[in-house]
């Protein structure tokens, strides 16, 4: 069975400071990992994904994430946060195992608040 | 706008009534997903289609829920004999099965269901 955890309900950061949103996962096979963002009254938007290859992946709006297999983590990072980054962030995992190709597991979400 | 659309955006119904939601995916996407999201939680996987075939269905999905994608384009999600616990946001997403954007899900705005 697959699972994903986002240990922080909320992350507060001042504008211009580095932003990190944590995500850990548990799968039996190899993971495909994703980050999505949800702005108020808007649908979820894809940010970035790790499928294979380089452990550091770059995505939209200056975000990046590092896949760490030994720590089973996929933390989202941004070097310099903007007030407009304030939103709800979701980590998701899809287990690559057998014939189960459809099911994605989402974390509970982390609210990011960036203050001016 | 050629994004994922869902109809209706809001639905209020009385307990015991049947409701049906529609999702129109991005036209070139052959994969379609239904999720349920409640306040403070991430999207919970319900079911998945590739073209017109329903390939995966959550074990959490009771037999009151049924989904179809008859021609491999739009999809409908029906809930029979609604219960108050069905109140949630129902999300639809679509993705391609090939190319660089494989596994990147594009979400619709959701249908908010309230069961009174």
């Amino acid at each position: 069975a697959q699972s994903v955890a986002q240990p922080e309900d909320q992350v507060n950061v001042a504008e211009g400071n580095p932003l990190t949103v944590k995500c850990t996962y548990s799968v039996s096979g190899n993971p495909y990992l994703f980050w999505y963002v949800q702005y108020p009254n808007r649908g979820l938007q894809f940010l970035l994904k790790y499928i294979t290859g380089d452990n550091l992946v770059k995505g939209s709006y200056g975000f990046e994430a590092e896949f760490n297999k030994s720590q089973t983590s996929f933390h989202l990072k941004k070097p310099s946060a903007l007030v407009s980054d304030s939103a709800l962030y979701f980590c998701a995992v899809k287990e690559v195992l057998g014939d189960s190709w459809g099911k994605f597991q989402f974390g509970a979400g982390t609210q990011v608040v960036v203050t001016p | 706008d050629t994004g994922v659309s869902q109809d209706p955006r809001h639905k209020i119904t009385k307990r015991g009534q049947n409701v049906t939601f529609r999702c129109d995916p991005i036209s070139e996407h052959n994969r379609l997903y239904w999720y349920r999201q409640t306040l403070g939680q991430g999207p919970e996987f319900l079911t998945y289609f590739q073209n017109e075939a329903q390939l995966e269905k959550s074990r959490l999905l009771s037999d009151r829920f049924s989904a179809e994608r008859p021609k491999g384009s739009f999809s409908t999600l029906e809930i029979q004999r609604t219960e108050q616990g069905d109140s949630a946001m129902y999300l639809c997403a679509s993705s391609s099965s090939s190319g660089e954007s494989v596994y990147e899900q594009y979400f619709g705005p959701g249908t908010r269901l309230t069961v009174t």
Side-chain angles (χ1 to χ4, degrees):
Chain A
Q2 60 188 9
S3 65
V4 59
Q6 293 181 243
E8 300 156 316
D9 291 336
Q10 182 164 315
V11 170
N12 298 298
V13 63
E15 188 174 34
N17 283 357
L19 169 64
T20 299
V21 186
K22 295 179 180 178
C23 172
T24 58
Y25 66 89
S26 175
V27 296
S28 300
N30 291 317
Y32 290 175
L33 295 156
F34 307 82
W35 277 101
Y36 285 82
V37 60
Q38 188 172 33
Y39 297 101
N41 300 315
R42 296 181 65 180
L44 279 82
Q45 296 177 31
F46 170 80
L47 275 181
L48 51 78
K49 67 183 178 186
Y50 171 81
I51 302 297
T52 188
D54 288 343
N55 290 341
L56 184 64
V57 294
K58 296 185 183 296
S60 306
Y61 313 121
F63 283 94
E64 59 187 30
E66 185 168 11
F67 169 61
N68 188 317
K69 188 172 184 178
S70 62
Q71 297 186 4
T72 62
S73 67
F74 190 58
H75 301 330
L76 180 70
K77 299 181 180 182
K78 186 171 184 180
S80 179
L82 301 173
V83 172
S84 58
D85 293 328
S86 298
L88 188 56
Y89 291 79
F90 292 97
C91 181
V93 64
K94 173 177 149 46
E95 186 174 42
V96 183
L97 185 66
D99 295 330
S100 176
W101 286 105
K103 183 175 180 179
F104 287 72
Q105 182 82 38
F106 281 78
T110 298
Q111 182 69 47
V112 170
V113 178
V114 183
T115 52
Chain B
D1 184 21
T2 58
V4 179
S5 61
Q6 293 186 244
D7 183 71
R9 295 290 304 274
H10 300 89
K11 178 69 176 179
I12 300 174
T13 191
K14 292 184 178 180
R15 183 166 56 92
Q17 297 295 305
N18 299 344
V19 294
T20 300
F21 309 141
R22 176 181 171 121
C23 170
D24 287 271
I26 293 172
S27 57
E28 58 266 31
H29 286 176
N30 62 342
R31 290 178 172 171
L32 188 146
Y33 307 79
W34 283 100
Y35 293 88
R36 177 172 59 192
Q37 186 178 22
T38 54
L39 195 62
Q41 298 297 318
E44 176 188 22
F45 172 82
L46 294 178
T47 190
Y48 156 65
F49 290 86
Q50 179 150 322
N51 300 312
E52 66 275 10
Q54 187 175 19
L55 296 185
E56 193 150 356
K57 187 175 177 179
S58 171
R59 286 172 293 176
L60 301 175
L61 206 61
S62 79
D63 57 7
R64 297 185 297 106
F65 288 71
S66 63
E68 294 183 342
R69 195 182 183 197
K71 297 182 180 179
S73 56
F74 74 91
S75 176
T76 57
L77 177 68
E78 181 183 17
I79 308 175
Q80 297 182 327
R81 305 181 302 281
T82 53
E83 302 173 355
Q84 287 189 322
D86 297 332
S87 295
M89 178 74 84
Y90 289 84
L91 301 172
C92 176
S94 68
S95 72
S96 172
S97 61
S98 62
E100 289 189 359
S101 62
V102 67
Y103 300 121
E104 295 175 20
Q105 295 180 66
Y106 292 80
F107 282 81
T111 295
R112 182 167 295 283
L113 173 66
T114 301
V115 181
T116 61

